[in-house]
């Protein structure tokens, strides 16, 4: 029997990597004042179709339960967040700063960096329209990168604003009727050759001059801010451009500016985004997007709650683990135990168990062999398992409430009173 295609087994080595990643995620989120939440892995199918439309159904693990309800394994966490916030919006203090690490499921084609299940760090802010909230959201993602040892030469955050795209398309005379198709083409800019991109714009109904302007903004041969200042853009677009410049300045103030650059081609495919959007990428171009998110001010209201400004991102474990492994940034698994207690002879097994229990009660990961094989063999086994210390319980020492403490790294050993073992081991760590 094998695991299902696109699903993973986590043997101890992989589980250690996952735990390291999750611990890093939690440390950073809590450092920024976010609190952890969770929701059910099974939700009503309508929760996802309401946000993403009926076309998402083909990507889901969905079925009818015994009560005749259409349900699905969660493919993302944002709808659950919106549902929970909508249910208690009046009583929740604003702004909310929540994070979660759910396991998500999608029936998608397996490929590098994308499986049919993955874990994801979700970070969300609800209740603040401030540009500082947008900057803090991306700052969390960037701080995760630094926590994991990734620098500006490893990753880049590409940012844009959906409202700027809308203003630019309007100024170029592109009809609102074809705007969604143009958004979809712009979103493909980095995924297709330049000539294919031009053809797709033409197929969407964009005239040649407008297409050249869009291509120049996407490939950054035209500076977005200078272009907007030189054009008769509407007041809303002008204000949004100013906000985006302030947004970038906040990162420079925080010494994070080297991570961030504007990119007109960043659209984020989901239509519910309403403001600043961003994606994090591997600078080497080997992996797909590490993380993506942005502002979605209308989402909570669409689930029956009040209109609340909101923003968030999702960062999956698959791509990030591949990057860390490729760069040698995943730590070696921690030793299974710190201390092995070895009896000298079968008659001292009970004594060894007593010492083991005392050291465990003191908080030290400790074990004693189920079936002692002799001091020499048991010491070899302890070294193989990378234990730091061995405690050898011999008959003479036990009679005077002592044991031999051996440092398995240096080979140094000395007799220690049983009551002092835990403190001596801690002092030597």
């Amino acid at each position: 029997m094998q695991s299902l295609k696109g699903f993973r087994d986590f043997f101890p080595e992989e589980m250690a990597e996952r735990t390291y990643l999750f611990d890093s995620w939690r440390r950073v989120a809590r450092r920024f004042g976010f609190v952890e939440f969770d929701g059910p892995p099974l939700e009503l199918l309508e929760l996802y179709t309401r946000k993403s439309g009926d076309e998402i159904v083909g990507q889901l693990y969905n079925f009818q339960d015994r009560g005749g309800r259409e349900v699905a394994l969660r493919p993302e966490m944002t709808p659950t967040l919106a549902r929970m916030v909508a249910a208690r919006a009046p009583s929740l203090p604003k702004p909310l700063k929540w994070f979660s690490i759910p396991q998500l499921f999608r029936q998608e084609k397996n490929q590098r960096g994308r499986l049919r299940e993955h874990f994801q760090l979700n970070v969300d802010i609800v209740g603040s329209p401030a540009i500082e909230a947008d900057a803090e959201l991306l700052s969390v993602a960037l701080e995760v990168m630094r926590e994991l040892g990734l620098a500006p030469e490893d990753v880049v955050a590409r940012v844009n604003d959906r409202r700027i795209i809308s203003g630019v398309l309007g100024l170029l005379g592109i009809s609102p009727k074809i705007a969604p198709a143009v958004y979809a083409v712009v979103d493909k800019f980095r995924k297709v050759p330049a000539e294919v991109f031009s053809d797709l714009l033409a197929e969407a109904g964009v005239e040649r001059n407008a297409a050249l302007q869009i291509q120049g903004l996407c490939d950054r041969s035209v500076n977005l801010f200078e272009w907007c200042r030189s054009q008769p853009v509407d007041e809303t677009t002008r204000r949004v451009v100013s906000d985006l410049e302030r947004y970038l300045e906040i990162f420079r103030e925080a010494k994070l500016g080297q991570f961030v650059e504007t990119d007109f081609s960043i659209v984020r495919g989901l239509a519910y985004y309403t403001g600043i959007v961003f994606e994090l990428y591997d600078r080497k171009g080997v992996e797909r997007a590490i993380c993506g998110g942005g502002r979605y001010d209308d989402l909570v209201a669409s689930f029956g709650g009040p209109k609340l400004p909101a923003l968030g991102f999702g960062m999956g474990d698959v791509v990030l683990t591949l990057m860390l492994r490729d760069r040698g940034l995943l730590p070696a698994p921690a030793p299974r135990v710190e201390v092995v207690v070895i009896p000298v002879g079968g008659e001292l097994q009970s004594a060894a168990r007593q010492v083991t229990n005392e050291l465990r009660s003191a908080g030290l990961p400790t074990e004693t062999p189920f079936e002692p094989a002799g001091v020499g063999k048991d010491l070899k086994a302890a070294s193989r398992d990378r234990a730091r210390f061995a405690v050898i319980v011999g008959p003479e020492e036990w009679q005077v409430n002592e044991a031999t403490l051996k440092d398995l790294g240096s080979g140094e050993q000395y007799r220690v009173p049983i009551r002092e073992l835990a403190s001596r081991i801690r002092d030597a760590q």
Side-chain angles (χ1 to χ4, degrees), residues 16 47 70 106 164 169 222 252 272-273 286 324:
L47 189 73
E70 295 294 333
R106 289 204 181 202
I164 293 177
L169 296 188
V222 175
R252 287 191 286 271
Y272 71 85
Y273 286 110
V286 175
L324 296 174

Side-chain angles (χ1 to χ4, degrees), residues 137-175:
L137 183 73
L138 178 52
S139 294
V140 175
L142 296 178
E143 190 62 28
V144 168
M145 298 298 103
R146 295 206 297 190
E147 184 82 3
L148 295 169
L150 295 166
E153 56 267 27
D154 297 302
V155 296
V156 57
R158 297 182 179 134
V159 305
N160 197 12
D161 195 304
R162 292 284 289 255
R163 294 165 295 182
I164 293 177
I165 304 175
S166 176
V168 168
L169 296 188
L171 189 63
L172 293 175
I174 294 172
S175 165

Side-chain angles (χ1 to χ4, degrees), residues 12 21 30 49 65 98 128 135 187-188 192 218 222 303 335 366 378 390:
L21 182 60
R30 288 168 179 157
T49 57
D65 70 6
W98 288 4
S128 175
D187 195 42
K188 294 176 182 176
V192 299
C218 287
V222 175
F303 285 90
T366 308
D378 288 336

